[in-house]
Amino acid sequence: MKKYIALAILVSIATHARAQDDATGACEQLKTFAMQDVVIDSAAPERSGSFTTSLGPVLKDLPAFCRVVGYATPTPQSRVGFEVWLPEKNWSGRYVQVGNGGLAGIIFHQLLGQMVERGHATASTDNGHTGSPVDGRWAIGQPEKVRDHAERAVHVLSDIGKRITAKYYESAAQRSYFFGCSEGGREALVEAQRFPADFDGIVSGAPAGYWTDLMDTFMQSGQALHKDPASFIPPAKLPIIQQAALAACDASDGVKDGLVSAPAKCKFDPQVLACRSGGDESQCLTAPQVSALRTLYKVGYVRSCENETAAMGGGGGHYALGLGT
Protein backbone atom coordinates (compact mmCIF):
# COMPACT_ATOMS: atom_id res chain seq x y z
CA MET A 1 0.00 0.00 0.00
CA LYS A 2 2.84 2.41 0.84
CA LYS A 3 4.33 1.78 -2.60
CA TYR A 4 1.04 2.78 -4.28
CA ILE A 5 0.73 5.92 -2.15
CA ALA A 6 4.29 6.90 -3.00
CA LEU A 7 3.59 6.36 -6.72
CA ALA A 8 0.46 8.53 -6.53
CA ILE A 9 2.47 11.29 -4.87
CA LEU A 10 5.12 11.11 -7.61
CA VAL A 11 2.46 11.30 -10.33
CA SER A 12 0.88 14.30 -8.60
CA ILE A 13 4.25 16.04 -8.35
CA ALA A 14 5.00 15.36 -12.02
CA THR A 15 1.63 16.72 -13.10
CA HIS A 16 2.10 19.82 -10.97
CA ALA A 17 5.59 20.27 -12.43
CA ARG A 18 4.18 20.26 -15.95
CA ALA A 19 1.66 22.96 -15.00
CA GLN A 20 4.48 25.02 -13.48
CA ASP A 21 6.58 24.51 -16.61
CA ASP A 22 3.74 25.88 -18.72
CA ALA A 23 3.49 28.91 -16.47
CA THR A 24 7.23 29.56 -16.58
CA GLY A 25 7.99 29.13 -20.24
CA ALA A 26 7.81 25.50 -21.45
CA CYS A 27 6.01 26.68 -24.56
CA GLU A 28 8.40 29.54 -25.28
CA GLN A 29 11.34 27.17 -24.87
CA LEU A 30 10.22 25.34 -28.01
CA LYS A 31 11.42 28.38 -29.96
CA THR A 32 14.98 27.09 -29.50
CA PHE A 33 14.17 23.43 -30.23
CA ALA A 34 16.67 22.54 -32.95
CA MET A 35 15.72 20.23 -35.82
CA GLN A 36 17.49 19.78 -39.14
CA ASP A 37 16.03 21.90 -41.97
CA VAL A 38 13.42 23.36 -39.60
CA VAL A 39 12.97 26.96 -38.43
CA ILE A 40 10.59 27.73 -35.55
CA ASP A 41 9.45 31.33 -35.94
CA SER A 42 7.40 31.52 -32.76
CA ALA A 43 6.23 29.47 -29.81
CA ALA A 44 3.82 31.10 -27.37
CA PRO A 45 0.80 30.25 -25.19
CA GLU A 46 -2.68 31.05 -26.50
CA ARG A 47 -4.97 31.55 -23.51
CA SER A 48 -7.58 34.08 -24.70
CA GLY A 49 -10.06 31.37 -25.69
CA SER A 50 -10.52 32.83 -29.18
CA PHE A 51 -8.49 32.66 -32.38
CA THR A 52 -8.93 34.33 -35.80
CA THR A 53 -8.45 31.72 -38.51
CA SER A 54 -6.68 32.09 -41.84
CA LEU A 55 -10.08 32.03 -43.58
CA GLY A 56 -11.56 34.73 -41.33
CA PRO A 57 -13.97 33.07 -38.89
CA VAL A 58 -13.11 33.36 -35.22
CA LEU A 59 -12.81 30.20 -33.14
CA LYS A 60 -14.24 30.64 -29.63
CA ASP A 61 -14.13 28.84 -26.28
CA LEU A 62 -10.78 27.22 -27.05
CA PRO A 63 -8.81 25.68 -24.19
CA ALA A 64 -5.38 27.12 -23.43
CA PHE A 65 -2.75 25.76 -25.81
CA CYS A 66 0.82 26.27 -26.93
CA ARG A 67 1.01 27.49 -30.53
CA VAL A 68 4.18 26.71 -32.47
CA VAL A 69 4.68 28.31 -35.91
CA GLY A 70 7.52 27.46 -38.25
CA TYR A 71 8.62 26.11 -41.61
CA ALA A 72 10.71 23.29 -43.03
CA THR A 73 13.08 23.32 -46.02
CA PRO A 74 13.41 19.71 -47.20
CA THR A 75 14.91 21.12 -50.44
CA PRO A 76 16.50 24.51 -51.19
CA GLN A 77 13.38 25.41 -53.18
CA SER A 78 10.98 24.36 -50.42
CA ARG A 79 9.32 26.32 -47.66
CA VAL A 80 6.78 24.10 -45.92
CA GLY A 81 4.88 26.21 -43.40
CA PHE A 82 3.33 24.51 -40.40
CA GLU A 83 1.66 25.04 -37.04
CA VAL A 84 1.54 22.73 -34.03
CA TRP A 85 -1.08 23.30 -31.30
CA LEU A 86 -0.52 21.64 -27.93
CA PRO A 87 -3.19 21.65 -25.17
CA GLU A 88 -1.76 22.90 -21.90
CA LYS A 89 -3.95 20.56 -19.85
CA ASN A 90 -5.66 17.20 -20.23
CA TRP A 91 -3.61 16.03 -23.20
CA SER A 92 -5.19 12.87 -24.62
CA GLY A 93 -1.83 11.32 -25.39
CA ARG A 94 -2.66 11.46 -29.11
CA TYR A 95 -1.06 13.37 -31.98
CA VAL A 96 -3.56 14.19 -34.74
CA GLN A 97 -2.28 15.81 -37.92
CA VAL A 98 -4.99 17.41 -40.04
CA GLY A 99 -5.22 17.94 -43.78
CA ASN A 100 -5.96 20.96 -45.91
CA GLY A 101 -8.57 21.98 -48.47
CA GLY A 102 -8.64 23.12 -52.09
CA LEU A 103 -5.12 23.75 -53.34
CA ALA A 104 -3.96 24.41 -49.74
CA GLY A 105 -1.73 27.48 -49.29
CA ILE A 106 -3.02 28.13 -45.78
CA ILE A 107 -3.02 26.53 -42.35
CA PHE A 108 -6.44 25.00 -41.69
CA HIS A 109 -7.02 26.47 -38.23
CA GLN A 110 -10.61 25.28 -37.96
CA LEU A 111 -9.52 21.67 -37.70
CA LEU A 112 -6.66 22.50 -35.37
CA GLY A 113 -9.15 24.16 -33.03
CA GLN A 114 -11.49 21.17 -33.07
CA MET A 115 -8.68 18.76 -32.29
CA VAL A 116 -7.36 20.91 -29.43
CA GLU A 117 -10.88 21.00 -27.98
CA ARG A 118 -10.72 17.21 -27.85
CA GLY A 119 -7.41 17.33 -26.01
CA HIS A 120 -5.26 16.18 -28.94
CA ALA A 121 -1.86 17.59 -29.87
CA THR A 122 -2.40 18.62 -33.48
CA ALA A 123 -0.59 20.06 -36.50
CA SER A 124 -1.22 21.23 -40.05
CA THR A 125 0.82 22.45 -43.01
CA ASP A 126 0.25 24.87 -45.90
CA ASN A 127 1.61 22.13 -48.21
CA GLY A 128 4.66 24.17 -49.16
CA HIS A 129 3.16 27.37 -50.58
CA THR A 130 1.06 30.33 -49.48
CA GLY A 131 -1.98 31.86 -51.10
CA SER A 132 -5.63 31.25 -51.87
CA PRO A 133 -6.80 27.61 -51.86
CA VAL A 134 -8.31 28.24 -55.31
CA ASP A 135 -5.18 29.76 -56.90
CA GLY A 136 -2.72 27.37 -58.52
CA ARG A 137 -0.26 29.84 -59.99
CA TRP A 138 2.32 28.91 -57.35
CA ALA A 139 2.91 25.62 -59.22
CA ILE A 140 4.10 27.15 -62.50
CA GLY A 141 7.79 26.35 -62.98
CA GLN A 142 8.12 25.07 -59.39
CA PRO A 143 8.53 21.27 -59.51
CA GLU A 144 9.75 20.99 -55.92
CA LYS A 145 6.76 22.96 -54.63
CA VAL A 146 4.51 20.68 -56.66
CA ARG A 147 6.11 17.67 -54.98
CA ASP A 148 5.81 19.33 -51.56
CA HIS A 149 2.10 19.78 -52.20
CA ALA A 150 1.62 16.34 -53.73
CA GLU A 151 3.25 14.26 -51.01
CA ARG A 152 6.26 15.66 -49.16
CA ALA A 153 4.83 18.39 -46.90
CA VAL A 154 2.48 16.12 -44.95
CA HIS A 155 5.17 13.44 -44.62
CA VAL A 156 7.80 15.91 -43.40
CA LEU A 157 5.41 17.42 -40.84
CA SER A 158 4.52 14.00 -39.43
CA ASP A 159 8.04 13.76 -38.00
CA ILE A 160 8.32 17.42 -36.98
CA GLY A 161 4.92 17.50 -35.27
CA LYS A 162 5.52 14.33 -33.27
CA ARG A 163 8.96 15.52 -32.19
CA ILE A 164 7.63 18.89 -31.00
CA THR A 165 4.82 17.09 -29.18
CA ALA A 166 7.26 14.78 -27.41
CA LYS A 167 9.51 17.71 -26.48
CA TYR A 168 6.67 19.73 -24.95
CA TYR A 169 5.07 16.93 -22.96
CA GLU A 170 8.36 15.15 -22.25
CA SER A 171 6.64 12.04 -23.57
CA ALA A 172 5.97 10.69 -27.04
CA ALA A 173 2.38 10.43 -28.26
CA GLN A 174 0.77 7.07 -27.51
CA ARG A 175 -1.05 7.12 -30.84
CA SER A 176 -0.75 9.21 -34.01
CA TYR A 177 -3.42 9.83 -36.62
CA PHE A 178 -3.94 11.72 -39.85
CA PHE A 179 -7.34 13.22 -40.56
CA GLY A 180 -8.46 15.03 -43.72
CA CYS A 181 -11.34 15.72 -46.08
CA SER A 182 -11.37 16.62 -49.78
CA GLU A 183 -7.77 17.74 -50.46
CA GLY A 184 -7.01 16.45 -46.99
CA GLY A 185 -8.63 13.17 -47.99
CA ARG A 186 -6.24 12.96 -50.95
CA GLU A 187 -3.34 13.66 -48.59
CA ALA A 188 -4.60 10.85 -46.38
CA LEU A 189 -4.61 8.35 -49.25
CA VAL A 190 -1.10 9.39 -50.30
CA GLU A 191 0.10 8.88 -46.73
CA ALA A 192 -1.48 5.42 -46.60
CA GLN A 193 0.03 4.41 -49.92
CA ARG A 194 3.51 5.96 -49.74
CA PHE A 195 4.28 6.51 -46.05
CA PRO A 196 2.23 3.94 -44.13
CA ALA A 197 4.57 4.07 -41.12
CA ASP A 198 3.85 7.77 -40.42
CA PHE A 199 0.58 7.21 -38.54
CA ASP A 200 -1.21 4.55 -36.51
CA GLY A 201 -4.50 5.41 -38.17
CA ILE A 202 -5.69 7.46 -41.15
CA VAL A 203 -9.12 8.99 -41.86
CA SER A 204 -9.76 9.93 -45.50
CA GLY A 205 -13.02 11.80 -46.08
CA ALA A 206 -14.35 12.60 -49.58
CA PRO A 207 -10.82 12.34 -51.08
CA ALA A 208 -10.10 14.61 -54.06
CA GLY A 209 -8.49 11.89 -56.14
CA TYR A 210 -7.90 11.51 -59.90
CA TRP A 211 -6.78 15.11 -60.19
CA THR A 212 -6.71 15.34 -63.99
CA ASP A 213 -10.36 14.29 -64.20
CA LEU A 214 -11.28 16.38 -61.16
CA MET A 215 -9.71 19.58 -62.51
CA ASP A 216 -11.31 18.99 -65.90
CA THR A 217 -14.68 18.63 -64.15
CA PHE A 218 -14.14 21.92 -62.30
CA MET A 219 -13.20 23.66 -65.56
CA GLN A 220 -16.28 22.41 -67.42
CA SER A 221 -18.54 23.28 -64.51
CA GLY A 222 -17.10 26.79 -64.30
CA GLN A 223 -17.55 27.32 -68.02
CA ALA A 224 -21.12 26.05 -67.89
CA LEU A 225 -22.04 28.58 -65.20
CA HIS A 226 -19.99 31.60 -66.23
CA LYS A 227 -19.23 31.51 -69.96
CA ASP A 228 -22.68 32.96 -70.66
CA PRO A 229 -24.01 35.30 -67.91
CA ALA A 230 -27.52 34.02 -68.58
CA SER A 231 -26.43 30.52 -67.51
CA PHE A 232 -25.41 31.51 -64.00
CA ILE A 233 -27.59 29.90 -61.32
CA PRO A 234 -27.89 32.23 -58.30
CA PRO A 235 -27.50 30.73 -54.82
CA ALA A 236 -31.12 31.61 -54.03
CA LYS A 237 -32.23 28.92 -56.51
CA LEU A 238 -30.10 26.14 -55.08
CA PRO A 239 -32.79 25.02 -52.57
CA ILE A 240 -35.31 24.30 -55.34
CA ILE A 241 -32.70 22.21 -57.17
CA GLN A 242 -31.96 20.26 -54.01
CA GLN A 243 -35.64 19.64 -53.35
CA ALA A 244 -36.26 18.45 -56.92
CA ALA A 245 -33.20 16.17 -56.89
CA LEU A 246 -34.26 14.66 -53.56
CA ALA A 247 -37.79 14.09 -54.84
CA ALA A 248 -36.40 12.24 -57.87
CA CYS A 249 -33.58 10.30 -56.24
CA ASP A 250 -34.03 10.00 -52.48
CA ALA A 251 -35.57 6.53 -52.66
CA SER A 252 -33.12 5.23 -55.29
CA ASP A 253 -31.10 3.48 -52.58
CA GLY A 254 -34.19 1.78 -51.16
CA VAL A 255 -34.65 4.16 -48.24
CA LYS A 256 -36.37 7.54 -48.24
CA ASP A 257 -34.38 9.47 -45.65
CA GLY A 258 -33.54 12.88 -47.15
CA LEU A 259 -30.22 11.64 -48.55
CA VAL A 260 -29.10 10.61 -52.03
CA SER A 261 -26.88 7.68 -51.13
CA ALA A 262 -26.91 6.03 -54.58
CA PRO A 263 -26.24 8.90 -57.02
CA ALA A 264 -25.32 6.49 -59.83
CA LYS A 265 -28.95 5.36 -59.84
CA CYS A 266 -30.29 8.92 -59.92
CA LYS A 267 -32.23 9.88 -63.07
CA PHE A 268 -32.96 13.50 -62.20
CA ASP A 269 -33.90 15.64 -65.22
CA PRO A 270 -33.40 19.42 -64.62
CA GLN A 271 -36.08 20.11 -67.21
CA VAL A 272 -38.71 19.62 -64.48
CA LEU A 273 -37.55 22.97 -63.05
CA ALA A 274 -37.96 24.94 -66.29
CA CYS A 275 -40.02 28.12 -65.97
CA ARG A 276 -43.29 27.58 -67.83
CA SER A 277 -43.61 31.25 -68.66
CA GLY A 278 -40.23 31.33 -70.34
CA GLY A 279 -39.13 34.14 -68.05
CA ASP A 280 -36.89 34.21 -64.98
CA GLU A 281 -38.74 33.43 -61.76
CA SER A 282 -37.48 32.62 -58.27
CA GLN A 283 -38.92 29.09 -58.09
CA CYS A 284 -37.84 27.81 -61.50
CA LEU A 285 -34.93 27.88 -63.95
CA THR A 286 -34.56 29.68 -67.25
CA ALA A 287 -33.65 27.68 -70.38
CA PRO A 288 -29.91 28.64 -70.13
CA GLN A 289 -29.90 27.70 -66.45
CA VAL A 290 -31.47 24.31 -67.19
CA SER A 291 -28.80 23.72 -69.83
CA ALA A 292 -26.04 24.67 -67.38
CA LEU A 293 -27.45 22.36 -64.71
CA ARG A 294 -27.57 19.49 -67.20
CA THR A 295 -23.87 20.06 -67.88
CA LEU A 296 -23.08 19.99 -64.18
CA TYR A 297 -24.84 16.65 -63.77
CA LYS A 298 -23.18 15.30 -66.93
CA VAL A 299 -19.57 16.08 -65.96
CA GLY A 300 -19.97 14.85 -62.41
CA TYR A 301 -21.21 15.76 -59.01
CA VAL A 302 -19.41 17.26 -56.03
CA ARG A 303 -19.92 15.42 -52.75
CA SER A 304 -19.69 17.77 -49.82
CA CYS A 305 -17.89 16.61 -46.69
CA GLU A 306 -20.92 17.43 -44.58
CA ASN A 307 -23.38 15.43 -46.68
CA GLU A 308 -21.08 12.43 -46.94
CA THR A 309 -20.61 12.33 -43.19
CA ALA A 310 -24.36 12.62 -42.64
CA ALA A 311 -24.79 9.63 -44.93
CA MET A 312 -22.40 7.70 -42.67
CA GLY A 313 -24.23 8.79 -39.53
CA GLY A 314 -21.70 11.40 -38.42
CA GLY A 315 -24.38 14.05 -37.97
CA GLY A 316 -22.17 17.13 -37.70
CA GLY A 317 -19.93 16.89 -40.74
CA HIS A 318 -16.56 15.19 -41.16
CA TYR A 319 -14.90 17.81 -39.04
CA ALA A 320 -16.91 16.83 -35.98
CA LEU A 321 -15.59 13.27 -36.05
CA GLY A 322 -13.98 12.11 -32.81
CA LEU A 323 -10.96 9.83 -32.65
CA GLY A 324 -10.82 6.66 -30.60
CA THR A 325 -7.78 4.67 -29.52
Side-chain angles (χ1 to χ4, degrees), residues 10 17 24 37 77 93 150 203 257 267 293 301 311 317:
L10 287 174
T24 57
D37 300 326
Q77 294 77 39
V203 178
D257 55 2
K267 304 300 180 183
L293 188 58
Y301 61 92

Side-chain angles (χ1 to χ4, degrees), residues 293-315:
L293 188 58
R294 276 208 179 103
T295 299
L296 297 184
Y297 273 92
K298 180 180 179 181
V299 300
Y301 61 92
V302 177
R303 294 171 296 177
S304 76
C305 296
E306 292 76 13
N307 286 343
E308 188 157 310
T309 299
M312 294 189 296

Side-chain angles (χ1 to χ4, degrees), residues 161-243:
K162 284 183 280 189
R163 291 177 66 185
I164 290 175
T165 298
K167 180 69 173 178
Y168 180 69
Y169 294 113
E170 299 178 355
S171 176
Q174 298 170 7
R175 293 286 187 272
S176 63
Y177 301 96
F178 183 84
F179 176 82
C181 179
S182 190
E183 159 60 18
R186 181 198 67 81
E187 296 163 10
L189 294 183
V190 170
E191 276 292 310
Q193 293 166 353
R194 302 184 185 183
F195 310 106
D198 283 353
F199 300 99
D200 297 311
I202 293 173
V203 178
S204 174
Y210 300 102
W211 264 50
T212 300
D213 291 345
L214 184 64
M215 294 300 112
D216 179 63
T217 296
F218 287 164
M219 180 183 69
Q220 292 187 59
S221 298
Q223 289 179 338
L225 290 170
H226 299 286
K227 192 173 182 179
D228 178 1
S231 299
F232 179 72
I233 301 174
K237 291 190 177 185
L238 297 184
I240 66 169
I241 297 173
Q242 180 189 36
Q243 293 165 11

Side-chain angles (χ1 to χ4, degrees), residues 273-287:
L273 291 170
C275 296
R276 296 180 180 180
S277 66
D280 187 1
E281 302 173 18
S282 63
Q283 296 301 306
C284 60
L285 302 181
T286 65

